[in-house]
Amino acid sequence: MRLSPPRMRHPVAAGRRLTGLLMLAAFALVVVLVTIFILTAINRIADYANRLDDDRSRQTTAGALGTFESQLRATLNDYAAWDDAAQFVYAPDGEAWVKSNYGEMTVNSDLFDVAMVMDARRQVVMSYQDGQPAGWDPHDYFDASLWTLFDKAASAAAGSSPEATGFVRTTKGVAVVGVALVRQKSGDLDKPNDERRFLVFARHLVAAQVAKMGQTYVVEGLQFTSNDAGSPNKVEIRNVHGKLLATLGWRSRLPGNLGYHQVKPLVYCALAMVGLFFLLLLVSGSNTLNRLKDDEAAARRLAMSDRLSGLLNRAGFFAALDELVAEGRQRELHVLLLYLDLDGFKEVNDAYGHATGDQLIRGVAAGLKALVTADSVLARVGGDEFAVALLSFDAQQTAETLSDRILGFFDEPFVIGERVATIGTSIGIAISPRGSVAGEELVRRADMAMYRAKETGRGRADYYRPEMDAEREDRNRLEIDLRIAIERRELHVVYQPVVDAEGWGLIGVEALARWTRKGYGPVPPEVFIPIAESTGLIDQLGLFVLHRACDTLRHWPGLKLAVNVSPGQFRDPAFATHVGSVFRKTDTDPSRITLEMTEGYFIQNPDRARMAITMLRQLGVKIALDDFGAGFSSVGYLRQFGFDRMKIDKSLVNALDEGGRAVDLLQATVALARSLCIPVTAEGVESQDQAIQLRLTGCDELQGYFFGKPMLAEEIDAMYRGGRRNSN
Ligand code: C2E
Ligand code: CA
Ligand code: CA
């Protein structure tokens, strides 16, 4: 049995997993993107900081070189524009002064390590290096840019200072070199141009110097580098000709990187925290979502199941059946549907109460569950209606076996506590070959077959046949027409004579309903009475016949009247009241009226029947048991309910002609009734022989075609008057 078909659950779970994954993926993407953005931003800041620092180092280094040059320029100015120098350099005996004041100053000096005095024709007057007379020729020792500086200083215009400095390559290395005219401090010099003398200072830039410079100006790792190194961290030293002499380079301190590395863990931490926060949000959100979905699924399951039986309910059944049909179509299997309606459940419910009825339903559900296969769909689709649907290769065979088993199950009475209830079921079977018939239509067909099973005797199974549609359609139209006819009072009543068994004199009539359907003609009571009973129209119809017959009875003061009452009419608690009001309205003496009832109701609902009979008796009417011998007639009922009369069914009467056992049975029955002081009417008397035999058996009243068919009131009228005339 499939309470909650697993197929219904899979798509939900898969969908949920998918949305969960998608959300997680989107979330991860966002986290990754945010991380990339932030790290890129920090990286840019770091780069920028690095570049700024390198720019500063470059400027500082260039500035340091400038300072290096301007220090020499200041020193040169001090030594060249000096009154003593102007005197001794030009004096013929000034050699000693020049040596001690210029040459020997080159030793261990931070200011200059080369000193030269030259005349206007670039002839060396004195040259010293590191405190010693230099052994070289300046043309070899310095590069050619020295002479450019020399010319600059020599050709300085009046008013501008006759000095020039610049970096120059020497055989020792790179040096800043200055050339200045030796003159008085005031700048005056009373010498012609060709007698002028020039002071040349050189200060070498050595590795130690550069390193010290780096320390002083905080340029890390400042040193000479080869120019072809790709690093952008360099400052070039060129002579006045623009020729590259040397390159200073340094190590980037990369303060940005430093900051970056310091900040990075913090950033990662922050990102991780944000990520964690959103992850928690996501998880709790999706948990809530899942819970909502679970609640929804549970609610749906609940909405699909029947609380009393635990089976699927009608809605659940239709959903499951649709899936089954789809599966049948897919797998080329037939869908078999058995539609069950319990017979006699209402009566058990009415008699024993709802608690017992509920237990009975549970018992039926449990029994069916045990009978069907595990993959069948089993449902309670109505108060006392059940349905079984399943897939099958051989639907016909399966249907036969299953319906036999189910009918067999209902053969046994149900024991509920101390009570025993016997109920049956009528089964309608419909098949959807390879799922070609949709669920709803399949149910309609099975339902129709079930009605047919009920109509044709209950406790059996019937297959759907296409003719049923037309028949059902006819029946529906008939029902509509009957309803209209009853409302418009188009039915009429005929009366069948009832005679005294001794003298065959008319003593009463049985009222029988007749319906001439417009456009069709007469419809037999065997057809329209069951329809009226099953649709509830019988209440109106029955009272109409009673009313009309009572009205008519006024014309026949000497006659009794028998009126038929269907079991269904007893279900109306106000039935006795209605009957009483008919008597009042028609001014009828109730003692002249006999209500005829069949035994069916007494079997199914003895308590209720007894109550109804008691109430009717209080009105003063008599009650007859109709059709005795047609069904499961039991003399026990006669005794139990104290009927006023018994009517022997025409089938029993007809059997008289065959003689033998039938006669014995009839005689025994009548004898028994008489022993209980219950008078007996024989109906369906068609011959004189029968009439005589029945009288001899002990029947006191006779009824049948032999005495008169059911006829119009006018005909009874004539008969009645004729009879009176005869007896008079
Ligand atoms: P029933 O109550 O047993 O009525 C007697 C039936 O036997 C009537 O059929 C009558 O025409 C028929 N009958 C009478 N004498 C003979 C005879 O000698 N031979 C044969 N073969 N039949 C004979 P009808 O009128 O067709 O009624 C059929 C059934 O319909 C009735 O059976 C009764 O159960 C039901 N019915 C008729 N009118 C009413 C009504 O107003 N109310 C209710 N509740 N049921 C009614
Ligand atoms: Ca009758
Ligand atoms: Ca009868």
Side-chain angles (χ1 to χ4, degrees), residues 626-627 649 683:
D626 204 353
D627 296 346
D649 191 65
E683 58 179 352

Side-chain angles (χ1 to χ4, degrees), residues 72 76 79-80 102-103 106 112-119 122-124 126-128 136 138 141-142 146-147 149-150 153 164 168 176-182 197-203:
L72 183 86
L76 184 66
Y79 281 83
Y102 292 154
T106 58
F112 49 94
D113 51 76
V114 172
M116 275 195 304
V117 176
M118 302 177 94
D119 65 17
R122 302 183 182 178
Q123 292 301 309
V124 177
M126 179 239 33
S127 71
Y128 258 74
W136 35 255
Y141 190 74
F142 295 100
L146 172 69
W147 309 116
L149 296 175
F150 191 92
V168 176
V176 65
V177 175
V179 183
L181 176 67
V182 180
R197 288 194 167 173
F198 296 87
L199 179 62
V200 177
F201 278 172
R203 183 184 180 192

